[in-house]
Amino acid sequence: MNYNTAIRPNRTARLISRCALLAALFLAAMAIPASAQEVAETIKVRTRVVFIGTLVRDKKTGAPVMDLPVESFQVLDDGKPRRLSYFNREGLGRRPLALMLVLDLSTSGILYLEKPEVMEQIIAALSRLKPEDEIGVMQIWYERQGALSFEMRSRVVSNLTSDRAQTFAALREVQHFAKQNLPQVKTLFSFKSLFKDAWKIGIAGAATGMPTGPPPVIFTAAPDLENMIDKAPLLAREHPTSQVVIMEVTNDFGAEGLGKTRKTAHELIDSGVTVCGMVVKRNLTDKGINLTGTIMSPLMGVRFHTISYYGKQTGGEVETVGRPEEFAGAVDKIVSGLAARYSLGFTLDESERNDDRVHRLEVKVKSHGTNRKLAVSARRSYIPKADR
């Protein structure tokens, strides 16, 4: 594949990495025929205390577990135990949401989002949010430029608003767009179609005396392409009284440099942003790309499955979806999990400086007296702010 060298790396790292994975798979195939503590959701040092919102679920049932005593929790700060000075197991009355829903039509998510029944399930779930919650809608897609040439584009279909009619109209607009866009890009999500298109171009080239061999698949990015994950800290500053959540529907094949993802994760955590995802079930083509990406990403110095990574780092949840009703269930589960959290906190000693250094956090939980297996979601780090 050929890549446009004019692409700006900060905006298109995910695009380039994804293209590299597609290229590896394609060439290989051609070769073989708020609350009690409102600050609890933002890990920052305020009056020398670090607060951690922690979600605990029963692995078997998926239900939140809210009956654990303080003795069940252990918080490690850079591997060292911290004594909890704050604990609340009554659940957190969450702040109003500023929920940006990112619908990634440049992935196999388009195969689901073009279906009216899927979008209506998402709408039904969002209709159950509190009236003060705000929702925004963004879409990402590929625009076909030639036989095997595609440009990645993005646009905000609806800004954050509490007007549900506006939000739902925007979602139905995305569904209609996806249905129209799918025939142009279906080649990318079916290896059989990709092989067939490449074969036709190869035959045409031979008939006209052009060089034969695997034709180039060209991916470029629009100059105004935006990544909502990168914009999220700014969104948090613009909505200081809201709980900012980025929820993306994707196949989670994003890949970015290791240093870039660490930096982004720290910025998200410092801004109090939570990243969540709905990852669509993978078809045969997706499974091939996933295997290639898993093998190639360490060699390329990139982190694969970035939505899952940002979700873990920020204490968010990532759900797998396929059937229409699973989309509604995922939205309900993610949103309800934002409120069903323990508030944990530890106090920094007077000798500890606010040094702007990243401290790694780990929350461990034991269910005393039962055999329940528990899953924990909590932010993975905090940064004590130095005095300016």
Side-chain angles (χ1 to χ4, degrees):
M1 295 185 184
N2 294 338
Y3 299 104
N4 187 327
T5 57
I7 294 177
R8 282 176 282 183
N10 287 341
R11 287 189 173 180
T12 57
R14 179 176 63 173
L15 166 67
I16 294 175
S17 300
R18 182 186 298 163
C19 295
L21 299 179
L22 286 169
L25 182 63
F26 177 70
L27 293 177
M30 294 296 291
I32 53 175
S35 64
Q37 299 286 349
E38 275 200 2
V39 297
E41 287 302 303
T42 303
I43 298 187
K44 293 181 180 178
V45 174
R46 298 181 187 275
T47 64
R48 308 289 294 175
V49 178
V50 176
F51 290 98
I52 314 166
T54 303
L55 173 65
V56 182
R57 290 190 184 275
D58 186 308
K59 282 189 175 181
K60 184 176 181 180
T61 65
V65 177
M66 294 300 297
D67 60 353
L68 298 174
V70 64
E71 293 79 16
S72 294
F73 292 87
Q74 182 183 39
V75 174
L76 302 180
D77 180 354
D78 282 341
K80 298 179 181 179
R82 286 284 191 173
R83 186 181 68 84
L84 292 178
S85 51
Y86 291 85
F87 177 77
N88 186 329
R89 60 186 177 91
E90 299 301 323
L92 299 178
R94 66 170 176 81
R95 291 171 290 163
L97 291 182
L99 172 64
M100 181 57 72
L101 187 60
V102 181
L103 307 174
D104 194 346
L105 308 180
S106 71
T107 71
S108 53
I110 191 175
L111 303 177
Y112 297 88
L113 295 171
E114 63 96 17
K115 299 176 180 179
E117 59 269 28
V118 168
M119 197 62 77
E120 291 305 316
Q121 286 287 331
I122 293 175
I123 288 173
L126 293 175
S127 68
R128 293 189 281 273
L129 294 184
K130 296 179 180 180
E132 62 268 26
D133 291 335
E134 294 184 300
I135 308 170
V137 180
M138 181 181 190
Q139 73 173 51
I140 304 170
W141 78 100
Y142 277 130
E143 193 74 23
R144 194 162 191 160
Q145 304 294 299
L148 287 177
S149 176
F150 304 88
E151 182 180 69
M152 181 178 278
R153 300 180 180 179
S154 66
R155 73 181 180 111
V156 174
V157 186
S158 174
N159 288 311
L160 287 168
T161 178
S162 57
D163 184 340
R164 297 292 183 262
Q166 179 179 324
T167 298
F168 298 160
L171 289 169
R172 293 186 177 105
E173 180 183 340
V174 173
Q175 181 271 316
H176 182 69
F177 178 92
K179 193 174 188 66
Q180 291 184 320
N181 182 246
L182 182 58
Q184 299 182 45
V185 299
K186 196 169 186 178
T187 291
L188 298 176
F189 311 114
S190 167
F191 186 73
K192 181 178 178 181
S193 297
L194 184 61
F195 187 90
K196 185 185 295 184
D197 284 356
W199 184 259
K200 287 179 180 178
I201 294 173
I203 292 176
T208 57
M210 298 293 289
T212 58
V217 180
I218 302 172
F219 293 89
T220 57
D224 58 350
L225 180 69
E226 291 184 320
N227 184 346
M228 188 53 65
I229 295 290
D230 291 337
K231 291 184 62 178
L234 174 61
L235 203 64
R237 290 194 294 272
E238 293 173 344
H239 297 78
T241 61
S242 298
Q243 185 173 358
V244 176
V245 178
I246 307 300
M247 186 184 298
E248 185 163 333
V249 180
T250 178
N251 59 12
D252 198 18
F253 286 162
E256 295 179 313
L258 295 174
K260 168 63 165 60
T261 54
R262 282 193 294 268
K263 181 176 182 293
T264 299
H266 297 154
E267 291 173 348
L268 292 169
I269 290 169
D270 191 45
S271 302
V273 175
T274 303
V275 176
C276 300
M278 288 185 280
V279 176
V280 298
K281 291 180 179 177
R282 291 164 182 159
N283 57 24
L284 185 60
T285 303
D286 285 342
K287 290 178 180 178
I289 295 173
N290 187 61
L291 177 61
T292 304
T294 302
I295 295 171
M296 295 295 295
S297 54
L299 302 176
M300 298 166 62
V302 300
R303 193 186 307 279
F304 199 34
H305 302 139
T306 52
I307 290 298
S308 293
Y309 171 73
Y310 292 135
K312 289 179 181 178
Q313 293 299 311
T314 63
E317 297 187 278
V318 176
E319 297 294 318
T320 301
V321 291
R323 298 190 304 273
E325 62 272 18
E326 291 177 340
F327 284 81
V331 174
D332 285 337
K333 182 177 180 180
I334 289 170
V335 172
S336 64
L338 294 171
R341 298 187 177 228
Y342 294 84
S343 178
L344 311 179
F346 61 86
T347 304
L348 295 174
D349 189 85
E350 285 297 323
S351 63
E352 296 178 275
R353 295 183 302 111
N354 292 342
D355 54 8
D356 268 346
R357 183 177 66 82
V358 176
H359 290 247
R360 183 167 50 87
L361 283 175
E362 183 181 3
V363 179
K364 293 185 176 182
V365 178
K366 290 183 179 180
S367 182
H368 296 285
T370 71
N371 294 321
R372 287 185 299 186
K373 293 185 177 180
L374 305 177
V376 181
S377 297
R379 300 182 188 274
R380 300 293 182 92
S381 64
Y382 75 99
I383 304 175
K385 288 300 179 184
D387 295 331
R388 300 301 185 199

